[in-house]
Amino acid sequence: MDGPSRGADVVAVLPAAGSGTRLGAAEPKAFVPLAGVPLLVRAVDGLLASDVVDHVVVAVPSELVDRALGLLSGRPVSVIAGGGDRTASVAAGLAATGPDAEVVLVHDAARPLTPVDVVRRVVAAVRAGAPAVIPVLPVADTVKRVDPNGVVTDTVDRSALRAVQTPQAFRAADLRRAYAGIPDPATDDAGLVEAIGDPVATVPGDPLAFKVTTAWDLRIAELLLAGAVLEEMSGRTV
Ligand code: CTP
Ligand code: MG
């Protein structure tokens, strides 16, 4: 599949090149089936179902590029080889987004049930002028800091804390500036934009945008798909 066509002004980068160590499946996490459909296919289809994403650049382990192309055939995607950490995979994806992209989203392949409304919210906020936008949720649990022995040193004021999800959306030029040079590995892309001094706005995230990290998360995702609850909550047929 070719790169983004002319006029593809919202392009999503999908880092899907991780090994999934914590999931512990027989194959890399993005290729693990969830109710028969690999996580990366669900994540791509969720982005495209939002109707606000023109093209998706998917970064996978280099030996799985052809397999990903087969799984994603017929969709407006390009598939590239990712890097040794998430930041390197996103950097490779960003380099393949093409000159016409005005808005770039970065979305984990590991969030297969993300509702279309979350995608629409982050894109709308960038279109309204924010250079960088992330979906967030309040932190429900009490949070404490501990020393290396596991002994509590203090209780953090959770009212100012947010758990951060993807997709994160950026003005393309700002994300390219944040990724110029070789950034240190980061767990999210907004962190790199913060580091160059740009403001990062927030919009409400959604519990269904949770990341599949462990076998427990995959089981929860299967149970959600098995029930009617998902269609009710997500506004998309999955
Ligand atoms: N990712 C990537 N390239 C890497 C590492 C991670 O594209 N070298 C992607 C993963 O495929 C995933 C997303 O970044 O979609 C979030 O990372 P994470 O949940 O940590 O996935 P893994 O790194 O695969 O899992 P683990 O850390 O348990 O090995
Ligand atoms: Mg990882």
Side-chain angles (χ1 to χ4, degrees), residues 6 10 20 35 92 104 108 110 122 127 138 142-144 153 162 165 176 189 192 196 200 203 206 229 238:
R6 288 199 67 79
V10 180
V104 173
D108 293 323
V122 293
R127 292 230 186 268
T142 297
V143 177
K144 294 186 192 290
T153 55
R162 299 291 182 272
Q165 302 181 319
R176 289 192 213 286
D189 309 284
L192 299 173
I196 61 166
V200 176
V203 296
D206 191 296
V229 64
V238 287

XYZ file of all heavy atoms in Angstrom, residues 6 10 20 35 92 104 108 110 122 127 138 142-144 153 162 165 176 189 192 196 200 203 206 229 238:
198
model
N -2.679 12.495 -1.689
C -2.825 13.950 -1.547
C -4.160 14.248 -0.885
O -5.142 13.572 -1.122
C -2.757 14.609 -2.923
C -1.350 14.600 -3.506
C -1.219 15.633 -4.610
N -1.319 17.009 -4.100
C -0.319 17.640 -3.493
N 0.831 17.050 -3.305
N -0.481 18.872 -3.058
N -5.635 14.452 7.850
C -5.555 13.882 9.206
C -4.995 12.474 9.078
O -5.634 11.589 8.500
C -6.925 13.854 9.912
C -6.783 13.253 11.310
C -7.531 15.253 10.001
N 4.910 -7.179 23.471
C 3.847 -7.624 24.364
C 4.347 -8.531 25.472
O 3.692 -9.529 25.813
N -11.479 -11.791 20.181
C -12.682 -12.341 19.550
C -12.468 -12.508 18.046
O -13.291 -12.115 17.226
C -13.905 -11.475 19.851
N 9.407 6.699 13.322
C 9.398 6.108 11.977
C 8.043 6.329 11.312
O 7.962 6.644 10.119
C 9.713 4.614 12.069
N -1.820 15.197 13.097
C -1.312 13.829 13.261
C -1.815 13.279 14.593
O -1.686 13.936 15.635
C 0.224 13.781 13.203
C 0.730 12.376 13.539
C 0.730 14.188 11.820
N -2.173 3.953 20.267
C -1.645 2.617 20.540
C -2.509 1.542 19.877
O -3.736 1.516 20.064
C -1.661 2.319 22.047
C -0.702 3.200 22.825
O 0.386 3.498 22.310
O -1.058 3.571 23.969
N -2.654 -1.176 21.004
C -3.091 -1.943 22.169
C -4.373 -1.393 22.810
O -4.755 -1.837 23.894
C -1.962 -1.987 23.196
N -10.491 14.558 20.139
C -9.112 15.073 20.069
C -8.874 15.815 18.751
O -8.201 16.857 18.738
C -8.042 13.974 20.299
C -8.092 13.455 21.726
C -8.128 12.846 19.286
N -8.331 21.062 15.750
C -8.902 21.944 14.729
C -9.316 23.274 15.342
O -9.297 24.308 14.675
C -10.120 21.285 14.078
C -9.785 20.077 13.232
C -10.443 20.212 11.864
N -10.285 19.024 11.040
C -9.288 18.856 10.179
N -8.351 19.789 10.037
N -9.216 17.762 9.438
N -10.037 10.897 35.263
C -9.634 11.111 36.653
C -9.042 9.825 37.233
O -9.335 8.730 36.750
C -10.936 11.477 37.375
C -12.033 11.305 36.400
C -11.480 10.976 35.054
N -6.755 5.970 45.452
C -5.787 6.776 46.192
C -4.392 6.425 45.699
O -4.090 5.258 45.433
C -5.913 6.481 47.703
O -7.222 6.882 48.120
C -4.851 7.224 48.506
N -3.548 7.447 45.574
C -2.193 7.221 45.045
C -1.170 7.601 46.110
O -1.261 8.681 46.703
C -1.957 8.061 43.772
C -0.527 7.885 43.257
C -2.956 7.668 42.682
N -0.240 6.712 46.378
C 0.819 6.975 47.361
C 2.186 6.808 46.726
O 2.365 6.006 45.822
C 0.687 6.032 48.561
C -0.570 6.272 49.391
C -0.567 5.411 50.643
C -1.931 5.405 51.321
N -2.287 6.693 51.945
N 5.940 6.924 51.635
C 6.546 8.200 52.053
C 5.504 9.313 52.102
O 5.566 10.176 52.955
C 7.703 8.612 51.115
O 7.213 8.653 49.768
C 8.856 7.618 51.211
N -4.292 12.922 36.385
C -5.119 12.333 35.334
C -4.390 11.136 34.742
O -3.173 11.189 34.543
C -5.371 13.345 34.197
C -6.113 14.607 34.630
C -7.560 14.342 34.993
N -8.252 15.581 35.367
C -8.272 16.078 36.606
N -7.650 15.455 37.592
N -8.906 17.212 36.858
N -4.654 8.581 28.053
C -4.938 7.560 27.047
C -4.444 8.016 25.672
O -3.792 9.060 25.539
C -6.459 7.318 26.999
C -7.041 6.873 28.344
C -8.532 6.617 28.270
O -9.269 7.373 27.634
N -8.980 5.549 28.920
N 6.252 17.224 14.741
C 7.534 17.042 14.038
C 8.661 17.772 14.774
O 9.779 17.260 14.886
C 7.430 17.540 12.596
C 6.564 16.652 11.717
C 6.722 17.022 10.234
N 5.488 16.819 9.502
C 5.007 15.619 9.163
N 5.639 14.530 9.512
N 3.875 15.530 8.490
N 3.467 10.691 23.675
C 4.000 11.657 22.721
C 3.819 13.081 23.215
O 4.650 13.946 22.953
C 3.307 11.422 21.377
C 3.413 9.946 21.048
O 4.495 9.523 20.644
O 2.436 9.205 21.299
N 6.774 14.683 24.886
C 7.813 15.288 24.053
C 7.409 16.700 23.639
O 8.249 17.587 23.499
C 8.069 14.417 22.818
C 8.570 12.999 23.124
C 8.623 12.161 21.861
C 9.936 13.046 23.794
N 9.195 20.644 24.617
C 9.586 21.790 23.789
C 8.774 23.026 24.159
O 8.820 24.052 23.474
C 9.481 21.492 22.270
C 8.048 21.142 21.851
C 10.448 20.382 21.866
C 7.823 21.170 20.334
N -0.275 21.543 26.305
C -0.984 20.307 25.985
C -2.367 20.382 26.634
O -2.479 20.484 27.856
C -0.217 19.071 26.485
C -1.013 17.799 26.222
C 1.166 18.983 25.815
N -8.965 16.519 26.875
C -10.400 16.293 26.657
C -10.754 15.024 27.424
O -9.858 14.234 27.761
C -10.757 16.133 25.157
C -10.481 17.403 24.375
C -10.017 14.942 24.545
N -12.166 7.845 27.835
C -13.281 6.913 27.984
C -12.721 5.604 28.550
O -11.667 5.140 28.094
C -13.910 6.661 26.610
C -15.240 5.926 26.703
O -15.238 4.753 27.168
O -16.274 6.498 26.319
N -23.037 -4.376 26.161
C -22.619 -3.127 26.781
C -21.733 -2.304 25.858
O -21.814 -1.089 25.809
C -21.914 -3.415 28.120
C -20.638 -4.207 27.943
C -21.625 -2.144 28.884
N -18.592 -3.089 16.743
C -17.248 -3.673 16.776
C -17.304 -5.185 16.557
O -18.357 -5.766 16.573
C -16.540 -3.385 18.109
C -16.130 -1.922 18.149
C -17.412 -3.742 19.287
